[in-house]
Amino acid sequence: MRELDALDEDYAALGRQLERRGIAIDAIKARVAGFSVAVPSWGSGRGGTRFAKFPIAGEPTNIHEKLEDCAVVNQLCRVTPRVSPHFPWDRVSDYKALREEAASLGLAFDAVNSNTFQDQPGQAQSYATGSLASTVAETRAQAVEHNIECIEIGRQLGSTDLTVWVGDGTNFPGQQDLGRSLDRYLDAASEIYAALPDGWRMLLEHKMYEPAFYSSVISDWGSSILAAQELGPKAQCLVDLGHHAPNTNIEQIVARLHRFGKLGGFHFNDSKYGDDDLDSGSINPHQLFLIFNELVEAEAHPRAGFNPSYMIDQSHNVTDPIESMLSSAEAIVGSFARALLVDRGALHGAQGENDTMMAFQALRRAYNVDVAPILAKVRVEAGGAIDVLAAYRASQWRTRKAQERKTVGLGAGIV
């Protein structure tokens, strides 16, 4: 009761502060209550690095246990009602039953993700030469077949998006013809595109480097948007915050993709040096806010088909994955809330008058607001926790699951 009283007091104080700016706090709360972000099935476990994986007690060992952990995240924070599965990691024999199982936990399924960057047991062709862009026709056909299988699985799960990321590229100059490799990718991707059901999207994910270090076939947003335009209106671009060169202006990429109607969605994480897959907002929370500023601007001036998909995509190397996803969800929705507080009239006016400082201050005033009372109020009214981390630790979920679940073995790399 004391916690609720304190929250009501903080919320009322923030409401009075915002009212002086002409902002109704309840209207902001309603917008925040309508926001959601998906969590990845693989994010419920310890990801590790390229060098090692250090399991945590009670880590999930299958999709059923992953759903249990994802449900805990949503029960506490109330903004993560969907799970994005990855195949073949999450393959089961009965997808209708899996969908019902998720629903019983208060969850639905988000975009399905294909995997053509790892060889699987019993696989006929190796992806050592690439997948959709491989020089081996049989390998390309295998990658296409797997993606179409993912579409069928997604259809049974209630998904409407297929995310396609390939690790195709080269490690040496001259290893492949850079133009022909893109042609092979587009030819194979067009077969997947043709299999999309009505109402589905194909989200193309780019990455500057890794696992290929000299060149990547879909290496940046330019390659991604060109491929999406070539494939057709159902193809859009997915932006992973870690898949860019250091100091890249990601918020400008967001604005550009929206301008051409190709902004499909986001994989939220953070980075210090490269594709670090760190917790969202842990390194550069201001960049996350600026990205949401562009998203709120885009929402106010939507293009045809504007419906970005939001998902957390992180590798939890040293933390409890549930705690990291709870912390990241709060950072993401907090950035959205701050972006809603931007005085658009003042911002646009200053921009029109070339008043650089006042334009910047319009953003800075919103960024400096502590929106925690709004987020907590939304959670409580939806049945969540005021303090998500304290509630999770008090539940002793990890300790109990450590007693129930099989131990995860040592690993030699990510997932």
Side-chain angles (χ1 to χ4, degrees), residues 96-120:
K96 181 177 182 293
L98 186 66
R99 183 177 182 179
E100 292 172 351
E101 178 184 343
S104 72
L105 295 170
L107 299 171
F109 285 101
D110 202 70
V112 290
N113 300 262
S114 60
N115 180 340
T116 61
F117 51 86
Q118 287 179 328
D119 286 349
Q120 305 296 330

Side-chain angles (χ1 to χ4, degrees), residues 202-224:
M202 184 174 176
L203 302 180
L204 309 183
E205 184 175 359
H206 61 271
K207 186 175 182 181
M208 186 179 67
Y209 71 98
E210 198 186 40
F213 286 92
Y214 174 68
S215 70
S216 292
V217 175
I218 304 296
S219 58
D220 52 27
W221 76 275
S223 301
S224 181

Side-chain angles (χ1 to χ4, degrees), residues 293-370:
N293 176 63
E294 293 300 327
L295 287 167
V296 170
E297 190 73 31
E299 186 177 336
H301 304 90
R303 299 274 174 175
F306 177 72
N307 183 30
S309 174
Y310 300 137
M311 191 194 82
I312 296 171
D313 183 14
Q314 304 169 173
S315 180
H316 311 114
N317 304 330
V318 295
T319 59
D320 182 322
I322 290 179
E323 292 190 352
S324 272
M325 288 196 287
L326 286 169
S327 175
S328 295
E330 183 155 18
I332 292 165
V333 72
S335 292
F336 173 63
R338 289 183 179 89
L340 293 174
L341 297 177
V342 173
D343 185 335
R344 300 281 150 191
L347 176 63
H348 297 157
Q351 290 171 340
E353 296 172 3
N354 292 307
D355 192 334
T356 303
M357 182 53 68
M358 287 302 101
F360 171 67
Q361 290 301 321
L363 297 178
R364 183 47 56 93
R365 279 193 299 273
Y367 179 72
N368 284 337
V369 175
D370 180 1

Side-chain angles (χ1 to χ4, degrees), residues 129-137 140-141 143-144 168-170 175-192 217-218 231:
T129 61
S131 59
L132 297 180
S134 172
T135 55
V136 181
R140 296 197 301 274
V144 169
D168 297 30
T170 64
Q175 180 179 339
Q176 288 186 10
D177 184 289
L178 300 179
R180 291 190 179 94
S181 63
L182 179 59
D183 288 340
R184 290 191 296 270
Y185 170 89
L186 290 171
D187 287 344
S190 66
E191 296 183 50
I192 302 168
V217 175
I218 304 296
L231 291 172

Side-chain angles (χ1 to χ4, degrees), residues 48-380:
T49 69
R50 294 198 312 278
F51 304 100
K53 176 178 179 178
F54 304 98
I56 186 173
E59 188 174 343
T61 60
N62 55 53
I63 182 58
H64 309 290
E65 293 175 351
K66 292 174 184 177
L67 289 177
E68 286 181 348
D69 285 6
C70 291
V72 169
V73 175
N74 188 50
Q75 287 163 10
L76 292 171
C77 73
R78 293 296 174 177
V79 294
T80 60
R82 298 179 308 283
V83 177
S84 187
H86 214 303
F87 300 102
W89 298 335
D90 296 326
R91 183 174 283 157
V92 297
S93 59
D94 188 341
Y95 293 103
K96 181 177 182 293
L98 186 66
R99 183 177 182 179
E100 292 172 351
E101 178 184 343
S104 72
L105 295 170
L107 299 171
F109 285 101
D110 202 70
V112 290
N113 300 262
S114 60
N115 180 340
T116 61
F117 51 86
Q118 287 179 328
D119 286 349
Q120 305 296 330
Q123 185 174 300
Q125 302 292 325
S126 174
Y127 291 128
T129 61
S131 59
L132 297 180
S134 172
T135 55
V136 181
E138 293 81 3
T139 303
R140 296 197 301 274
Q142 176 180 274
V144 169
E145 181 181 357
H146 170 62
N147 276 275
I148 293 175
E149 177 196 19
C150 288
I151 293 172
E152 174 55 26
I153 293 172
R155 192 185 60 78
Q156 296 178 61
L157 293 177
S159 301
T160 57
D161 290 336
L162 169 70
T163 297
V164 179
W165 175 77
V166 297
D168 297 30
T170 64
N171 283 286
F172 288 89
Q175 180 179 339
Q176 288 186 10
D177 184 289
L178 300 179
R180 291 190 179 94
S181 63
L182 179 59
D183 288 340
R184 290 191 296 270
Y185 170 89
L186 290 171
D187 287 344
S190 66
E191 296 183 50
I192 302 168
Y193 183 91
L196 291 172
D198 290 341
W200 271 64
R201 296 183 301 176
M202 184 174 176
L203 302 180
L204 309 183
E205 184 175 359
H206 61 271
K207 186 175 182 181
M208 186 179 67
Y209 71 98
E210 198 186 40
F213 286 92
Y214 174 68
S215 70
S216 292
V217 175
I218 304 296
S219 58
D220 52 27
W221 76 275
S223 301
S224 181
I225 194 172
L226 288 171
Q229 289 173 332
E230 180 91 2
L231 291 172
K234 291 181 181 179
Q236 293 187 313
C237 303
L238 189 147
V239 179
D240 185 306
L241 270 59
H243 287 188
H244 306 84
N247 302 318
T248 295
N249 190 328
I250 299 177
E251 56 268 30
Q252 185 177 47
I253 294 173
V254 173
R256 293 289 187 266
L257 290 175
H258 173 65
R259 166 62 180 78
F260 293 99
K262 287 296 184 181
L263 183 61
F266 293 83
H267 280 182
F268 289 113
N269 49 57
D270 213 333
S271 69
K272 179 68 175 177
Y273 301 107
D275 185 24
D276 308 324
D277 270 354
L278 304 177
D279 287 14
S280 298
S282 62
I283 302 298
N284 195 346
H286 191 244
Q287 180 188 63
L288 189 59
F289 161 73
L290 293 175
I291 288 169
F292 270 102
N293 176 63
E294 293 300 327
L295 287 167
V296 170
E297 190 73 31
E299 186 177 336
H301 304 90
R303 299 274 174 175
F306 177 72
N307 183 30
S309 174
Y310 300 137
M311 191 194 82
I312 296 171
D313 183 14
Q314 304 169 173
S315 180
H316 311 114
N317 304 330
V318 295
T319 59
D320 182 322
I322 290 179
E323 292 190 352
S324 272
M325 288 196 287
L326 286 169
S327 175
S328 295
E330 183 155 18
I332 292 165
V333 72
S335 292
F336 173 63
R338 289 183 179 89
L340 293 174
L341 297 177
V342 173
D343 185 335
R344 300 281 150 191
L347 176 63
H348 297 157
Q351 290 171 340
E353 296 172 3
N354 292 307
D355 192 334
T356 303
M357 182 53 68
M358 287 302 101
F360 171 67
Q361 290 301 321
L363 297 178
R364 183 47 56 93
R365 279 193 299 273
Y367 179 72
N368 284 337
V369 175
D370 180 1
V371 296
I374 298 175
L375 309 188
K377 197 75 167 176
V378 168
R379 288 196 298 270
V380 169

